[in-house]
Amino acid sequence: MFTENMLAELNKQHNYELYSAYLYMAMEAYFHEKGLSGFANFFKVQTEEERAHARIFYEFIIRKGGSVTLDAIERPEADFESPLGLFKKALAHEEFVTSRINTLVDIAIGDRDHATNSFLQWFVDEQVEEEESFQGIVQKLELIGTDVHALLMLDAGLAQRVFVVPGPLAQSE
Ligand code: FEO
């Protein structure tokens, strides 16, 4: 069983992952409107990943005998000034999620809840990849500047991204 605080924070994280999916849907829509379908695809796949992250928390709470509590999902920002500005916001959001995962680990350690700590380690590693992924695109967009040809080449590259079911979810299927 979870402590009351651990369960509340896991449920909160489930909500944050759904919010992440919602935020990235807004970002996908921005790129559709700009005619950048590769960038839009990047966020479509990212949205699917976030839904999968939420599902992983959902299933873990249930498996360990906790109650899932569903709260309202906050409305995401929808006004973005530029592709670079948007990606900086996405990176800042991932850094926030990393801080959340670290908080959850701290709570699990404090509770001597080894199962939850072990479960969270996949997310610790995943957040390194998430930040690396967004940071890489921020750096590319900074290099690209106002070069439209280079922007379209990056767009073509991002069109290749495909969704891969994350490990913990693939194992539970
Ligand atoms: Fe679920 Fe992008 O972290």
Side-chain angles (χ1 to χ4, degrees):
M1 285 296 284
F2 301 109
T3 61
E4 200 176 316
N5 186 33
M6 185 85 261
L7 179 58
E9 291 298 326
L10 287 168
N11 269 302
K12 202 187 282 185
Q13 190 60 32
H14 174 246
N15 185 279
Y16 277 130
E17 299 292 346
L18 291 173
Y19 171 77
S20 301
Y22 219 24
L23 174 64
Y24 295 144
M25 279 177 79
M27 292 180 170
E28 178 190 345
Y30 167 87
F31 283 115
H32 278 303
E33 285 171 23
K34 296 285 172 200
L36 291 166
S37 57
F39 280 94
N41 176 65
F42 175 91
F43 280 105
K44 178 172 182 273
V45 172
Q46 192 63 37
T47 295
E48 289 179 84
E49 271 201 11
E50 300 302 347
R51 283 204 198 99
H53 291 172
R55 186 73 199 177
I56 292 166
F57 276 99
Y58 178 96
E59 291 187 1
F60 180 69
I61 292 167
I62 289 173
R63 280 180 62 208
K64 217 166 163 291
S67 296
V68 168
T69 307
L70 299 177
D71 211 338
I73 302 167
E74 194 185 326
R75 187 167 78 177
E77 178 179 352
D79 293 326
F80 305 106
E81 65 275 25
S82 66
L84 177 58
L86 180 153
F87 266 91
K88 283 184 174 172
K89 283 180 178 164
L91 175 60
H93 178 68
E94 287 300 333
E95 288 167 348
F96 165 73
V97 174
T98 299
S99 75
R100 281 285 314 163
I101 298 295
N102 289 341
T103 297
L104 292 174
V105 171
D106 289 344
I107 295 168
I109 290 171
D111 289 350
R112 297 180 56 78
D113 182 346
H114 301 295
T116 301
N117 185 19
S118 173
F119 162 78
L120 290 168
Q121 292 311 305
W122 183 86
F123 283 95
V124 171
D125 295 338
E126 174 70 5
Q127 282 310 119
V128 175
E129 280 183 32
E130 293 280 74
E131 287 191 32
E132 186 183 17
S133 162
F134 284 100
Q135 180 64 49
I137 297 174
V138 165
Q139 285 175 319
K140 285 189 179 76
L141 287 170
E142 282 173 342
L143 286 170
I144 285 170
T146 56
D147 182 341
V148 175
H149 181 66
L151 183 70
L152 292 177
M153 281 182 64
L154 179 57
D155 187 63
L158 295 177
Q160 305 304 314
R161 188 181 186 199
V162 292
F163 174 63
V164 178
V165 178
L169 207 54
Q171 286 162 17
S172 75
E173 283 177 346

